[in-house]
């Protein structure tokens, strides 16, 4: 009987072949039997470690391959870069945590640029330059630290300056910062009235109609109105009343200390009170001519 694979040599042994036709027994020569055995070994699963992974990471590839496919290489490269970035960010954060910062007092800052014991940077926020100022502070080893309350980040755009290094440099920075804030407010009044008018009208609409109002949101809404009151643009309320309202807001309340139901009751009562205060507040003729 001839080999059922090569049909040349005499059949010497039997093997089981599993292919597209299914599993079948063949009688083959020794040479063909050896060749089939090598094929089966190449197709068997193999697991090997891929080099170049980030520390603490590994990946296995199953199958008869000698090199990882291109998409695996791309994944490995991306993951390696991500880990490097995380390590760098962690190192920078650790270095920053070791820096000792001091808070610069703002008691001598002009009143129009102070709110709740902090620097009032609403103008820079509205013209879109606040983030650039924060980056500048960071580059100089300083931080503009906002107030987060009731889920409102940097509410009222009130910031304290924390600095490391020389006090005089921090004072100069604040002087330059307040000059930028002054220029920003001038730009709002003269060059960007639509932006300023939008912030005022939105704030008034919410204060007149809100059904729930947290302390953090109230503080944030009063911030642009304070700028308008400084310029005498409101009718039905004055600067003293707005600043008195701001001074009475408790931004250190901890939401988790009371239940959601109780929180809603407090926010509802606050909203009702504020609705009545701002019911008759409108932009005066000067503001209407500029913003509307």
């Amino acid at each position: 009987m001839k080999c059922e694979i090569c049909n040349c040599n005499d059949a010497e042994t039997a093997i089981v072949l599993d292919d597209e036709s299914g599993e079948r027994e063949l009688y083959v020569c020794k040479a063909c039997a050896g060749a089939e055995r090598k094929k089966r070994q190449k197709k068997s699963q193999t697991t090997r470690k891929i080099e170049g992974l980030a520390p603490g990471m590994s990946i296995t590839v199953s199958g008869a391959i000698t090199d990882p496919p291109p998409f695996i290489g791309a994944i490995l490269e991306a993951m390696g870069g991500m880990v490097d970035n995380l390590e760098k960010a962690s190192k920078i954060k650790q270095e920053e945590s070791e820096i000792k910062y001091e808070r610069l007092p703002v008691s001598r800052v002009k009143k129009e640029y102070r709110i709740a014991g902090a620097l009032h940077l609403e103008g820079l926020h509205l013209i879109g330059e606040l983030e650039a100022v924060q980056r500048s502070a960071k580059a100089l080893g300083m931080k503009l630290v906002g107030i987060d309350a009731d889920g409102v980040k940097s509410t009222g755009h009130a910031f304290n300056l924390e600095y490391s290094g020389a006090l005089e440099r921090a004072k100069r920075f604040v002087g330059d910062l307040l000059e930028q804030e002054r220029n920003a407010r001038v730009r709002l009044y003269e060059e960007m009235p639509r932006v300023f008018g939008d912030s005022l009208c939105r704030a008034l609409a919410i204060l007149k109609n809100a059904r729930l109002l947290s302390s953090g949101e109230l503080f944030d809404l009063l911030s642009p109105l304070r700028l308008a009151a400084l310029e005498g643009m409101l009718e039905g309320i004055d600067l003293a009343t707005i600043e008195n309202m701001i001074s009475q807001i408790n931004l250190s309340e901890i939401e988790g200390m009371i239940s959601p139901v109780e929180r809603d009751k407090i926010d509802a009562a606050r909203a009702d009170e504020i609705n009545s205060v701002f019911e008759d507040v409108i932009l005066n003729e000067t503001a209407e001519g500029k913003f509307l």
Side-chain angles (χ1 to χ4, degrees):
M1 181 179 179
K2 295 294 184 180
C3 171
E4 292 184 86
I5 293 180
C6 68
N7 296 315
C8 294
N9 301 323
D10 292 334
E12 300 175 84
T13 185
I15 63 172
V16 175
L17 185 66
D18 189 4
D19 55 16
E20 295 179 355
S21 302
E23 190 175 285
R24 52 200 175 95
E25 187 177 64
L26 299 177
Y27 292 95
V28 299
C29 63
K30 288 185 178 180
C32 289
E36 287 300 320
R37 186 168 58 254
K38 288 181 180 180
K39 286 182 182 180
R40 288 197 303 271
Q41 289 177 356
K42 286 184 179 180
K43 291 180 180 179
S44 66
Q45 287 190 338
T46 60
T47 302
R48 64 189 179 86
K49 186 175 181 180
I50 305 298
E51 300 298 328
L53 288 173
M57 300 178 64
S58 63
I59 187 170
T60 58
V61 181
S62 298
I65 59 175
T66 56
D67 293 308
F71 79 92
I72 292 292
I75 291 174
L76 296 180
E77 183 177 351
M79 292 177 70
M82 180 180 68
V83 171
D84 287 342
N85 290 336
L86 289 173
E87 289 177 348
K88 289 178 182 177
S90 177
K91 185 177 180 181
I92 292 173
K93 188 174 182 180
Q94 182 178 357
E95 290 175 350
E96 288 182 347
S97 66
E98 294 173 355
I99 299 175
K100 292 184 178 180
Y101 289 92
E102 295 186 46
R103 178 166 293 185
L104 185 71
V106 297
S107 56
R108 295 187 178 182
V109 170
K110 289 183 178 180
K111 187 177 180 180
E112 56 264 37
Y113 301 114
R114 283 188 284 122
I115 184 173
L119 302 172
H120 193 198
L121 305 181
E122 183 70 26
L124 285 167
H125 161 67
L126 289 175
I127 70 170
E129 292 185 2
L130 184 55
E131 290 186 4
V133 169
Q134 289 175 302
R135 290 195 297 270
S136 298
K138 186 175 181 180
L140 294 171
M142 306 177 196
K143 296 189 295 183
L144 283 169
V145 182
I147 302 171
D148 299 343
D150 300 316
V152 183
K153 187 175 177 61
S154 298
T155 181
H157 305 101
F159 293 87
N160 282 292
L161 180 72
E162 295 185 357
Y163 68 97
S164 61
L167 173 61
E168 289 304 316
R169 187 175 65 164
K171 288 181 177 180
R172 287 196 300 271
F173 177 82
V174 168
D176 293 340
L177 175 61
L178 296 182
E179 182 64 21
Q180 290 185 54
E181 173 64 19
R182 187 191 72 80
N183 293 336
R185 295 181 186 185
V186 171
R187 286 187 61 191
L188 282 173
Y189 306 146
E190 299 182 357
E191 301 175 22
M192 305 170 69
R194 175 73 70 166
V195 172
F196 191 33
D198 180 72
S199 68
L200 297 179
C201 292
R202 286 175 185 270
L204 281 173
I206 295 173
L207 292 169
K208 288 172 180 284
N209 298 286
R211 309 313 301 142
L212 293 169
L213 195 59
S214 69
S215 57
E217 185 179 12
L218 174 59
F219 187 83
D220 198 56
L221 293 169
L222 291 176
S223 179
L225 292 181
R226 180 176 182 268
L227 296 192
L230 281 166
E231 295 298 314
M233 295 180 171
L234 300 178
E235 185 176 312
I237 197 169
D238 57 18
L239 177 62
T241 302
I242 290 177
E243 293 198 324
N244 183 57
M245 293 174 64
I246 289 172
S247 68
Q248 294 182 28
I249 298 175
N250 183 4
L251 296 175
S252 61
E253 291 178 343
I254 302 176
E255 293 184 14
M257 297 295 288
I258 60 176
S259 68
V261 174
E262 186 64 25
R263 167 64 64 184
D264 286 347
K265 288 181 179 179
I266 294 172
D267 290 351
R270 182 184 291 112
D272 291 342
E273 179 184 357
I274 294 300
N275 291 164
S276 63
V277 171
F278 282 89
E279 181 179 3
D280 297 321
V281 176
I282 58 174
L283 298 179
N284 61 21
E285 292 182 2
T286 301
E288 280 189 349
K290 182 175 286 290
F291 302 141
L292 302 181

